[in-house]
Amino acid sequence: MELRHLRYFIVLAEELHFTHAAERLHIEQPPLSRAIKELEDELGVMLFERDRRGTRLTEAGTAFLQDVRRLFTTLEQARQNVKAIGAGLRGSLRVAVSDGAIDPRLSTFLARCRAEEPEIEIRLSEVPLAEQLRGLRSGDFTIGFAHTAEAGADIVAEAVWRDPLVIAIPARHALLGHRKVPLHALTHQPLILCDPQVCEGYCRELTRLLHPLEYEPQVVERASSLDMMLTLVGAGYGVGFTTTARVSVCQRADVVTRPLALESAEITTYLLRPRSNTNMSRLLERLIVRLHEGFDT
């Protein structure tokens, strides 16, 4: 069964006259008759009744006409969709988030995308950094957000926003005597750091930050989430690290934050995308422009 057969069938079903249908199709009548006969033979049913009174659809032909029209509607939608995607007018975005890089700005950005281009499907996945990078390289993800630019030569990392790093300290703790906590004051403090398997890029940045310490940092716990870290801090297990943006949505009476007395104490969120995509789609270009319009780095 070919699409040609189905097109001929629809036109004949609408005209119910072989000569008129052939004229509309710009073909001779015999090829039309052969095509309808081939279609009926393949289906094993009569689609048309032919007698002196004219040509009529059979019951099977009427049912088949409805299905074939739906088929051509779907084909036309597919044609329009692929043309629109090529023009960057619709499609889907598969966004990966790693290192706990989810904060209110990401929500605001996604909400704006949905409001301005509701026909675009945006799928968000929270995955470890290694999985994000594999997905970007394989095409499973369109873009990603992470707290590291160390993604490999085949991945473009572009800073989209920066946040001051703060120390999460238990209430009634000696470190609260500092308005800004010097880095050396953390030398002998028990630290609660994030789990590197969950927040690999974030851990890299913290390791870089703590590198100047005179002694090896005393890590007592590894937390897999911000809530777990704050729970442990509030219970007095040690002190932790977070950013002003993240802690603003998770206020706790038993945890107090202090900035670090270090100008470079900040965490950067990067937009990651495959370098092989040198000719970005118009959709992706609009997304990146919208991201920079909404937030300053």
Side-chain angles (χ1 to χ4, degrees):
M1 186 184 304
E2 301 177 9
L3 287 178
R4 171 178 60 89
H5 293 97
L6 300 180
R7 291 193 183 95
Y8 289 1
F9 165 72
I10 288 178
V11 173
L12 181 58
E14 292 174 348
E15 296 291 339
L16 293 177
H17 194 287
F18 275 85
T19 301
H20 295 166
E23 291 174 351
R24 182 173 157 188
L25 290 165
H26 305 291
I27 61 174
E28 299 295 328
Q29 184 174 330
L32 173 60
S33 298
R34 284 196 300 271
I36 297 300
K37 180 67 166 57
E38 290 170 0
L39 184 59
E40 290 177 326
D41 289 345
E42 182 171 349
L43 294 173
V45 296
M46 295 294 293
L47 299 173
F48 296 95
E49 293 179 352
R50 310 168 184 83
D51 55 32
R52 294 181 180 179
R53 291 178 295 174
T55 302
R56 297 181 301 278
L57 278 168
T58 64
E59 184 178 353
T62 300
F64 190 58
L65 177 62
Q66 295 176 351
D67 291 335
V68 172
R69 279 176 170 162
R70 281 195 293 267
L71 172 62
F72 275 92
T73 298
T74 301
L75 289 173
E76 177 61 21
Q77 289 175 345
R79 187 181 71 85
Q80 294 295 335
N81 285 342
V82 76
K83 290 178 65 176
I85 291 171
L89 299 178
R90 69 175 68 213
S92 64
L93 287 172
R94 299 173 304 281
V95 182
V97 181
S98 303
D99 302 335
I102 296 178
D103 66 34
R105 285 169 299 193
L106 182 57
S107 299
T108 301
F109 166 67
L110 294 174
R112 181 181 172 189
C113 290
R114 297 184 65 202
E116 295 184 1
E117 297 188 83
E119 72 276 13
I120 305 299
E121 179 189 22
I122 301 178
R123 299 175 60 187
L124 196 68
S125 301
E126 188 174 13
V127 297
L129 179 64
E131 185 176 338
Q132 178 182 147
L133 297 179
R134 283 195 297 269
L136 289 171
R137 293 182 177 109
S138 66
D140 291 338
F141 298 126
T142 311
I143 59 170
F145 291 91
H147 286 315
T148 181
E150 298 176 4
D154 55 345
I155 301 293
V156 176
E158 183 178 359
V160 289
W161 56 73
R162 296 183 174 89
D163 290 303
L165 195 66
V166 295
I167 306 295
I169 306 169
R172 297 182 298 278
H173 191 281
L175 285 178
L176 295 178
H178 299 280
R179 295 187 63 182
K180 293 185 177 182
V181 179
L183 191 60
H184 66 80
L186 301 177
T187 299
H188 298 294
Q189 291 291 333
L191 302 180
I192 302 168
L193 301 184
C194 51
D195 186 340
Q197 293 185 341
V198 177
C199 298
E200 181 181 349
Y202 187 70
C203 285
R204 291 180 192 173
E205 294 301 300
L206 285 182
T207 300
R208 175 186 58 79
L209 178 72
L210 297 174
H211 182 71
L213 286 177
E214 184 178 352
Y215 299 101
E216 186 73 18
Q218 183 185 346
V219 181
V220 294
E221 294 286 351
R222 294 281 184 176
S224 59
S225 68
L226 174 64
D227 285 337
M228 177 58 75
M229 184 272 287
L230 294 176
T231 297
L232 293 172
V233 170
Y237 283 73
V239 300
F241 296 87
T242 186
T243 62
T244 53
R246 296 183 69 193
V247 80
S248 65
V249 297
C250 194
Q251 298 288 346
R252 296 177 57 118
D254 55 353
V255 176
V256 181
T257 60
R258 288 286 190 270
L260 273 167
L262 190 65
E263 291 185 1
S264 62
E266 61 182 16
I267 294 293
T268 303
T269 301
Y270 295 90
L271 171 69
L272 306 182
R273 58 181 175 83
R275 189 177 296 277
S276 58
N277 188 8
T278 53
N279 296 317
M280 289 189 296
S281 69
R282 295 180 186 177
L283 172 59
L284 185 54
E285 288 177 350
R286 291 198 303 274
L287 179 145
I288 294 174
V289 169
R290 188 177 296 133
L291 187 61
H292 286 301
E293 286 177 348
F295 308 103
D296 295 327
T297 58

